[in-house]
Amino acid sequence: MPLSWDDPATREAIERYMAGVRDDAPWCPWNIEFIRRVNGLPSVDDVYATVFDASYLVLGLGDVYLGAPVATPLDPRHRLVTTKYNPARTWTAENSVGIGGAYLCVYGMEGPGGYQFVGRTHQVWRRHPEDGRDPWLLRFFDRISWYPVSAEELLDIRADMAAGRRGLEAVEGTFSLAEHERFLEENAESIAAFRAAQSA
């Protein structure tokens, strides 16, 4: 899915939060810098690389609102952890992407929120659903991989999706638990090192 990193809509939500709710929060004025600090990463470029390198497994639909995908990276070295806003934001742009706890979520609609922003993507609802299809785009156990787009490109993609000229870019795949467990075993040392640095 396309991701407009540090999208202007997420910056606007942070500015509104600072103006009307709380200006002294440790995640202000930039959520991505907060994510970097609480995960012990050397730079915000490492946050960017981690998010775009990850393959997220959809484990839930509706954490924020019905149909909103909640996902976690398959590789534990990609599992960034954050607190949520406290108190929550009063406004979040539709399809903002954020991390709360150890989970990534796409906000299905405009509303309040608390996840730490990384960017914004396209709609996760079908505006023109076909007969027999759910109105939400993603399903349990789908995997999300992000690719970077500019804020302007994302607006074009969003307009095309809203008009029914574009859909979700999906590729069929399989997930092998045995292969995944082998991967975890083979990378146990670097996974432990990542978790130790994150914990510290």
Side-chain angles (χ1 to χ4, degrees):
M1 291 171 64
L3 181 66
S4 168
W5 182 255
D6 196 22
D7 188 81
T10 63
R11 287 289 191 143
E12 181 183 348
I14 296 168
E15 288 166 11
R16 287 190 190 190
Y17 181 82
M18 291 176 67
V21 181
R22 183 179 176 196
D23 64 0
D24 65 342
W27 44 85
C28 293
W30 193 23
N31 292 179
I32 294 170
E33 167 59 20
F34 178 71
I35 294 168
R36 181 205 67 77
R37 287 197 319 267
V38 298
N39 286 279
L41 297 174
S43 74
V44 293
D45 291 340
D46 294 295
V47 180
Y48 179 96
T50 302
V51 169
F52 282 102
D53 288 347
S55 175
Y56 292 87
L57 184 67
V58 175
L59 298 177
L61 294 170
D63 178 58
V64 179
Y65 300 106
L66 180 64
V70 179
T72 192
L74 288 166
D75 185 337
R77 295 167 296 188
H78 294 150
R79 288 186 193 148
L80 301 173
V81 176
T82 70
T83 64
K84 294 182 184 176
Y85 278 47
N86 182 19
R89 286 184 305 276
T90 56
W91 180 78
T92 304
E94 177 189 52
N95 307 129
S96 294
V97 179
I99 299 171
Y103 297 98
L104 177 134
C105 182
V106 179
Y107 285 77
M109 59 190 289
E110 182 178 308
Y115 283 54
Q116 304 289 339
F117 294 122
V118 293
R120 191 177 190 206
T121 190
H122 61 55
Q123 294 86 338
V124 291
W125 284 88
R126 288 184 178 88
R127 299 274 170 96
H128 307 279
E130 300 164 19
D131 288 340
R133 297 196 75 181
D134 293 324
W136 47 88
L137 289 178
L138 296 164
R139 301 165 300 164
F140 290 106
F141 307 115
D142 279 348
R143 283 177 279 176
I144 300 170
S145 293
W146 301 110
Y147 64 90
V149 295
S150 69
E152 294 75 20
E153 287 173 299
L154 181 64
L155 291 177
D156 289 341
I157 293 168
R158 291 177 57 76
D160 285 346
M161 288 193 78
R165 294 187 297 263
R166 183 183 181 127
L168 179 69
E169 295 177 32
V171 176
E172 287 295 321
T174 58
F175 176 77
S176 165
L177 182 58
E179 284 178 21
H180 183 63
E181 288 176 339
R182 205 164 28 252
F183 168 83
L184 295 177
E185 189 177 322
E186 289 168 358
N187 293 280
E189 192 173 319
S190 62
I191 290 168
F194 172 80
R195 286 178 169 159
Q198 187 179 52
S199 219

